[in-house]
Amino acid sequence: MESTPKIDQTFIEDPLRVLRGIRIAAKYNLSISPATYDAMNRNANRLSIISRERIAAEFDKMLTCDNVEYALRTLWEIGAMRYVVEEYADIKPKMRMQFYKRLKYARNCDYKTKLAIFLYNAVNPEKAMRELKYSNDIIDDVMFIIKQRDFLENHTSTSSSDVRELQYKCKTAEMFHRVVIAHACATVEYIEDGYFAYKTNWDTESDMLVKEKTDMFGYRLPVNGEDVMKELGIGPSAGVRVVLNALIMCAYHNPKISKTECLDKMRNLII
């Protein structure tokens, strides 16, 4: 990809063109000419004067490119990564390969999932997103995906109750799929012989529960806080939430639990 004459002036006038050039090359599988690449390298530090929102907009588009590996590699090579996620600026080349591999297998994911995969092992992913001025909606969704890492790492067997628990946390099938795919891409052991083998047991079990109508997407208990207070003769307190949480855990094993069964169980709880 050739730039216009007086290449340095092009990037001096608008340093965001450094990122835009990388993104266009990655999107259309173009080659950046040595002269243009050198000019990008010389002027990458001028990205410091560009608003974080504009940088985030270009980076989002890079994540959705088929050749995202090329985009990330170039960001690191010319020193532009520090203006995207400063924490990642000095990552060693060997570690960068993990990012390329992860995002390669996430090529069909939406950009929120890809952003979560990219930030999965960051020390402070929320800070990185806030510095890029992402909306609260994006930050909340990406952080939710990342925060399920501990749950998935601690639940290696996909029992029906474990899957229902994750369904309940995720609320929707779309978020559930984002969570399990992000974890799969960010933990390379699930990738074998170039095949992304994680349509995952979580997905498969979840689909089965949906088909059986025993899933917990958008689930609501047949009792509420008022029922708890009336049955146990207590007022508004943290104990009400304790009882409801205990009943939710029962529902993971039996989502068809009735109101009568809930009332019976809460009488045996010590709060």
Side-chain angles (χ1 to χ4, degrees):
M1 181 182 74
E2 287 286 356
S3 187
T4 56
K6 299 181 180 179
I7 301 174
D8 279 286
Q9 188 62 33
T10 297
F11 299 126
I12 290 171
E13 290 174 357
D14 184 2
L16 191 68
R17 289 170 180 163
V18 172
L19 300 186
R20 190 173 297 133
I22 295 170
R23 189 252 302 171
I24 291 172
K27 181 176 181 179
Y28 296 106
N29 289 311
L30 303 175
S31 297
I32 298 175
S33 72
T36 300
Y37 179 92
D38 289 343
M40 287 177 166
N41 195 17
R42 286 192 296 271
N43 291 282
N45 63 345
R46 290 186 56 77
L47 286 166
S48 62
I49 68 173
I50 299 298
S51 72
R52 306 296 281 173
E53 294 94 333
R54 294 181 72 199
I55 290 174
E58 284 297 331
F59 184 64
D60 285 348
K61 293 173 185 176
M62 288 183 197
L63 287 179
T64 61
C65 293
D66 285 342
N67 198 358
V68 64
E69 176 182 343
Y70 177 85
L72 294 179
R73 182 187 297 116
T74 308
L75 287 176
W76 265 306
E77 288 176 351
I78 68 172
M81 183 60 81
R82 72 178 61 255
Y83 303 105
V84 181
V85 178
E86 186 175 5
E87 179 184 332
Y88 285 175
D90 299 319
I91 287 178
K92 302 300 181 184
K94 185 176 180 180
M95 287 299 297
R96 296 174 192 174
M97 294 299 296
Q98 295 298 319
F99 289 90
Y100 306 151
K101 189 172 185 179
R102 293 171 182 180
L103 288 165
K104 174 183 176 182
Y105 287 98
R107 59 183 174 273
N108 294 323
C109 297
D110 68 297
Y111 87 92
K112 285 184 181 179
T113 307
K114 290 182 177 180
L115 184 58
I117 292 166
F118 182 69
L119 295 172
Y120 212 71
N121 299 114
V123 173
N124 196 335
E126 182 172 354
K127 178 184 175 183
M129 288 186 284
R130 293 209 179 279
E131 288 179 347
L132 288 169
K133 309 298 184 184
Y134 279 109
S135 69
N136 287 335
D137 173 65
I138 292 173
I139 293 173
D140 289 346
D141 281 352
V142 171
M143 288 306 300
F144 178 84
I145 293 169
I146 294 172
K147 286 178 179 178
Q148 303 318 304
R149 173 179 55 202
D150 290 343
F151 177 87
L152 289 167
E153 289 177 351
N154 292 326
H155 295 77
T156 54
S157 64
T158 52
S159 66
S160 295
S161 59
D162 288 343
V163 174
R164 289 193 188 102
E165 183 174 354
L166 187 59
Q167 288 176 333
Y168 181 75
K169 291 173 182 287
C170 292
K171 298 181 181 179
T172 67
E174 179 185 25
M175 181 57 76
F176 182 94
H177 185 65
R178 282 174 171 169
V179 166
V180 295
I181 287 297
H183 185 69
C185 291
T187 51
V188 182
E189 63 264 29
Y190 293 112
I191 301 172
E192 301 174 355
D193 300 327
Y195 173 65
F196 189 51
Y198 202 60
K199 165 153 190 297
T200 65
N201 294 333
W202 289 90
D203 281 315
T204 301
E205 181 70 17
S206 179
D207 290 346
M208 184 186 74
L209 295 178
V210 169
K211 186 176 181 179
E212 294 175 349
K213 297 183 179 180
T214 60
D215 63 283
M216 289 185 67
F217 290 125
Y219 179 82
R220 296 183 67 178
L221 281 167
V223 295
N224 57 31
E226 290 185 1
D227 295 320
V228 173
M229 290 187 287
K230 180 179 179 180
E231 184 64 26
L232 299 182
I234 60 175
S237 65
V240 175
R241 175 49 56 191
V242 170
V243 171
L244 291 174
N245 286 342
L247 293 175
I248 283 291
M249 293 181 69
C250 293
Y252 295 153
H253 297 275
N254 176 21
K256 294 185 177 181
I257 189 171
S258 67
K259 182 173 183 177
T260 299
E261 289 172 315
C262 285
L263 294 174
D264 287 341
K265 286 183 179 296
M266 72 173 69
R267 293 187 197 108
N268 296 320
L269 291 173
I270 300 176
I271 60 173

